[in-house]
Amino acid sequence: MHKSKLLNQNVMPNNCPVQIQFVFKIDLQKYQITSAELEHKDHPVSEEHIQTYARKQRLAPEALQLAKDTVTAGVQPARVRKLLQDKFGSHLISKDLINLKQTLAGNTGDEWKDTVDLLLDLRKDPNNVISVSYDGDGEVAAIFIQLKKQRKLYHKYGIVVEMDGIYKITKIGFSLYHLMIEDKNGNSQPVALFFTKEETTVAISECLRIFLENNDVSVTKVTMTDKDCSEISALEKYFPDAEHILCHFHVLKAVDAWLNTLKEIDGVNKERKNDIREKFRKVLYTGTNIELDTAKARLYEEGGIIAAYFHNNWFNISDKWTSFSSFHHTIKEVLGKDRRLAKVIKGLVDIVRISLSDSQLMQKIREVKFSRQRKHPLLEKFAASISPFAWGKITENMKYMRKSYDFKYHQESSTYQISSSNNKSYTLQKDLTGCSCDFFMSFQLPCRHLIYFHIKDNLEVPPESYSDHWRNKCLEIFSPV
């Protein structure tokens, strides 16, 4: 006979005279009844039967609580039953546990009621932006949430914004999107979140429109996403002055997913896949156009479908690559198995608040750590004006500062041309406000070349100069979360 597809069930023999026998006929691909005895009589009730009746009500309070906790956490019913049997000597069948889980989860009506109550509670602060959008049938199409603190964070650090989505994160089918920034401590922080029923440009655009109405989006100069066309189109519509780029994390993830579709029959074994991954990483992290062309040539040498894939999907948009830290693994870990909308929203709000509190704690730890390190007298005031994270980046870069540099002054452009030991040359502004090196261009902080000239000319690096992104007067310290 075919293996049964029924759920695991607990049965008890009662010597019932009712009996039906059947066999599976292979030639007919059907079951055929061979005998049927349909006489049925009442069964005697034994002590064993009584022990299985009203099982949940007969559990000790601590046993019932364990069952609730483990079911809520997503533990399989078979393992819950074994835990109850081993720890309390109690017995629940799978159906009991399924019923218990449904009772704890509630129904769809309860879910929407809980969600509405939570959103109304968040709306009590008039500076929070809470918006619910509906489709033509009056059904909820999108939910937008931005806390007061997030609006301040965006205004201060929103020069670069990343958008990423987690699809079908709730039991009722909503997808979650986050807008992210990087704060002065180098931490990724969500500055808005929204749920959409559909993953389309129209649905995402509606939420970005709400974001636009409540924030000054002119502060954003760069937007980042994966290669999702709906996200890119929506961002280009509501951040028209920002340049769009792709992040390394999602680029590498997409390439890895494509490589995993290739089989040895295609001439691509595990070793070759690893070699291709490494070659593409070198393409991503090249520093000059010459290095980029050299790295790309190594992938073109692979030929066939490999060369065609990278040419048609990545090399034609290589100007859009960059990197940004990911926040969503934290969300997935924290939310776990319970995907009820109200609990998801509450969990996300808690994550935002905890993330900001954690950032404050890390700030204080870095202040203690770096305050004991001696700084050059010409750098002391500037160091005090920026975050410990930013100062750590500068000290790391200063390790490569030479005792002297060869340079030429160009009067026409009012710039210095510095020659480096790696055969690269950098351009410095005469007033020492900028440098063309990778460090300054990435962080807008004084690099080793700028600091060298300040020290050489005995000039103090002005406090609160360069990018205000890293300044120490941090909004999350002076106002509660």
Side-chain angles (χ1 to χ4, degrees):
M1 290 182 62
H2 286 177
K3 185 177 180 181
S4 173
K5 295 183 179 180
L6 292 174
L7 295 173
N8 292 334
Q9 300 182 38
N10 283 45
V11 295
M12 187 175 297
N14 289 295
N15 299 317
C16 178
V18 172
Q19 186 179 51
I20 300 175
Q21 292 181 336
F22 54 92
V23 296
F24 182 72
K25 296 289 187 179
I26 298 178
D27 54 338
L28 299 175
Q29 290 293 298
K30 293 181 179 180
Y31 289 99
Q32 181 175 339
I33 297 175
T34 57
S35 66
E37 175 59 57
L38 303 181
E39 182 184 356
H40 183 76
K41 297 179 181 179
D42 292 336
H43 303 296
V45 177
S46 66
E47 181 66 25
E48 193 176 10
H49 286 88
I50 296 174
Q51 291 298 321
T52 64
Y53 177 74
R55 289 167 294 269
K56 191 173 71 174
Q57 285 82 354
R58 298 171 65 86
L59 285 180
E62 57 270 24
L64 181 58
Q65 189 59 50
L66 175 65
K68 290 180 178 180
D69 292 342
T70 50
V71 165
T72 301
V75 180
Q76 292 297 320
R79 297 189 66 181
V80 178
R81 289 166 56 196
K82 188 175 186 307
L83 282 170
L84 291 172
Q85 186 66 43
D86 293 345
K87 191 173 180 65
F88 300 102
S90 301
H91 177 70
L92 283 180
I93 66 174
S94 297
K95 185 176 180 180
D96 293 326
L97 294 169
I98 292 171
N99 291 338
L100 179 61
K101 185 175 182 179
Q102 291 175 341
T103 301
L104 293 171
N107 54 42
T108 304
D110 293 335
E111 182 164 2
W112 281 116
K113 179 181 181 302
D114 293 342
T115 301
V116 170
D117 290 343
L118 178 59
L119 295 177
L120 289 175
D121 186 60
L122 291 173
R123 272 185 174 172
K124 289 179 181 178
D125 186 339
N127 294 303
N128 292 340
V129 181
I130 311 297
S131 178
V132 180
S133 304
Y134 300 89
D135 60 20
D137 298 324
E139 298 289 333
V140 174
I143 299 173
F144 179 94
I145 299 173
Q146 187 183 33
L147 305 182
K148 172 185 176 181
K149 178 68 65 173
Q150 292 178 298
R151 296 175 69 188
K152 291 184 177 181
L153 278 173
Y154 171 73
H155 179 74
K156 186 172 180 63
Y157 302 117
I159 187 170
V160 178
V161 173
E162 181 200 19
M163 183 167 74
D164 195 13
I166 305 177
Y167 305 117
K168 304 304 179 187
I169 193 171
T170 67
K171 288 183 177 180
I172 54 178
F174 278 93
S175 297
L176 167 67
Y177 292 88
H178 266 96
L179 295 180
M180 309 285 299
I181 54 87
E182 185 180 69
D183 66 16
K184 66 168 188 171
N185 293 312
N187 298 322
S188 296
Q189 300 282 7
V191 292
L193 63 92
F194 52 91
F195 298 86
T196 64
K197 201 67 178 288
E198 298 180 349
E199 299 148 17
T200 63
T201 301
V202 173
I204 297 172
S205 294
E206 172 61 19
C207 293
L208 291 181
R209 179 190 63 78
I210 299 170
F211 184 86
L212 173 69
E213 291 176 350
N214 293 277
N215 300 272
D216 179 12
V217 297
S218 66
V219 304
T220 300
K221 306 304 178 187
V222 177
T223 60
M224 294 192 299
T225 65
D226 59 10
K227 216 179 177 186
D228 187 294
C229 294
S230 58
E231 294 179 14
I232 295 171
S233 298
L235 284 169
E236 287 178 343
K237 179 178 180 180
Y238 287 98
F239 293 84
D241 298 327
E243 179 183 356
H244 177 264
I245 53 181
L246 302 175
C247 75
H248 282 174
F249 173 80
H250 290 102
V251 171
L252 289 170
K253 186 177 179 181
V255 170
D256 193 58
W258 179 78
L259 285 173
N260 287 335
T261 66
L262 302 180
K263 309 296 181 184
E264 290 199 22
I265 195 173
D266 301 314
V268 185
N269 56 24
K270 183 177 179 180
E271 290 73 21
R272 190 181 178 194
K273 287 180 183 179
N274 290 335
D275 183 56
I276 292 170
R277 289 187 183 98
E278 189 58 33
K279 287 180 178 179
F280 186 64
R281 283 181 177 275
K282 290 182 179 178
V283 173
L284 283 178
Y285 297 107
T286 53
T288 66
N289 286 332
I290 295 176
E291 292 174 352
L292 176 62
D293 291 339
T294 302
K296 287 166 63 175
R298 294 194 180 101
L299 276 172
Y300 277 128
E301 290 171 0
E302 295 285 337
I305 59 174
I306 305 297
Y309 169 77
F310 286 105
H311 176 77
N312 295 328
N313 291 278
W314 300 109
F315 294 166
N316 58 336
I317 56 169
S318 57
D319 59 315
K320 288 183 173 290
W321 299 345
T322 186
S323 59
F324 204 84
S325 55
S326 177
F327 181 78
H328 287 86
H329 68 280
T330 302
I331 295 171
K332 291 178 179 178
E333 289 176 1
V334 172
L335 294 182
K337 298 285 185 180
D338 193 344
R339 299 298 178 89
R340 296 184 67 204
L341 182 58
K343 288 194 174 183
V344 169
I345 292 175
K346 185 179 185 306
L348 291 171
V349 171
D350 288 343
I351 289 172
V352 170
R353 290 168 172 162
I354 291 170
S355 179
L356 290 172
S357 299
D358 184 60
S359 181
Q360 296 174 31
L361 177 61
M362 294 305 297
Q363 164 92 2
K364 295 181 183 297
I365 291 173
R366 291 190 181 105
E367 286 172 354
V368 172
K369 179 179 178 181
F370 288 106
S371 62
R372 298 183 180 181
Q373 296 181 349
R374 291 190 60 186
K375 304 176 180 67
H376 194 285
L378 297 174
L379 298 173
E380 284 183 345
K381 291 183 179 179
F382 176 76
S385 72
I386 61 175
S387 71
F389 172 82
W391 175 248
K393 289 290 183 183
I394 292 175
T395 55
E396 194 67 29
N397 186 254
M398 286 175 62
K399 292 178 181 178
Y400 303 98
M401 186 169 68
R402 295 163 58 184
K403 291 183 178 180
S404 63
Y405 286 96
D406 296 327
F407 62 89
K408 293 180 181 179
Y409 177 66
H410 297 280
Q411 189 170 2
E412 313 82 49
S413 58
S414 296
T415 58
Y416 294 104
Q417 199 73 24
I418 291 184
S419 298
S420 180
S421 57
N422 56 5
N423 296 322
K424 291 183 179 180
S425 62
Y426 304 107
T427 302
L428 270 74
Q429 299 297 321
K430 181 185 177 183
D431 58 4
L432 303 182
T433 57
C435 177
S436 65
C437 72
D438 291 341
F439 180 83
F440 180 83
M441 298 302 291
S442 297
F443 297 100
Q444 295 294 298
L445 288 168
C447 60
R448 60 186 184 274
H449 311 113
L450 292 168
I451 291 173
Y452 167 81
F453 271 81
H454 277 92
I455 295 174
K456 179 181 73 70
D457 297 336
N458 198 33
L459 296 172
E460 183 179 62
V461 178
E464 298 190 352
S465 57
Y466 301 101
S467 174
D468 63 357
H469 185 98
W470 309 107
R471 290 187 185 172
N472 219 10
K473 291 182 179 179
C474 178
L475 63 93
E476 59 258 37
I477 290 179
F478 293 105
S479 58
V481 175

